[in-house]
Amino acid sequence: MAGSSSTFVAVLTAAAVATVGFLAYQASASVPADLAAPRASASASTTKAPRDTRNPTALPAGSGTGARVVYSTADDRVWLVNADGRAEHTFQVTPGSVDPLPGTYAVTSRSGAVTGTDGTPIEHVVRFTGVKGVSIGFSAAVDGSTPAPDPAAKTGGIRASRADGNAVWKFATIGRRVVVIR
């Protein structure tokens, strides 16, 4: 009797796994295009959000709504934007050698302290996408350095000062939107 009940449990488990897999496939196939992962396009990669020329640190128009992190690859600047749409904090960053494509992402993982791909001890790592196997995210070097990236190495770390890295760490929790603009 014990053997037949374990077989029954195994069959039920297999059926449940198959059902969940089928439902996951159906859900992913029916995601509206505007919620799917950002796709590269010629216009998206060349579009630059309008800037206030009198105030270059002002939050760019067209960078989304609500609470979010806005990152400009053209200006090497980050804005932490609250739910009311006001920038709470803005700062310069030093990007890695690999830039994310313009689009909307979400924070997917965080690490308190790791070693960067360049061998530098880093803290407050907030990852939000990847490009061809390179993880892209914000971080701060423990020694406070923000060296220019080695163009020969594929790095996705967007380095901030320790104070700014701490601000990102507190603000950009798992699931927080990250809007990348040119």
Side-chain angles (χ1 to χ4, degrees), residues 68-175:
R68 65 200 181 280
V69 176
V70 176
Y71 170 49
S72 169
T73 59
D75 296 330
D76 296 330
R77 178 166 289 281
V78 172
W79 293 262
L80 305 180
V81 183
N82 65 27
D84 295 334
R86 288 189 319 261
E88 293 179 356
H89 190 63
T90 184
F91 51 92
Q92 289 290 137
V93 293
T94 302
S97 61
V98 178
D99 276 337
L101 292 172
T104 300
Y105 304 89
V107 173
T108 55
S109 70
R110 295 164 31 107
S111 298
V114 298
T115 300
T117 54
D118 61 357
T120 302
I122 57 176
E123 63 184 359
H124 298 146
V125 180
V126 176
R127 296 174 202 87
F128 60 91
T129 192
V131 176
K132 295 183 180 177
V134 177
S135 292
I136 308 291
F138 305 106
S139 65
V142 172
D143 67 6
S145 65
T146 55
D150 175 359
K154 301 267 186 221
T155 60
I158 303 163
R159 295 273 171 88
S161 71
R162 289 189 80 187
D164 294 331
N166 190 46
V168 172
W169 179 257
K170 288 178 180 176
F171 184 82
T173 55
I174 298 292

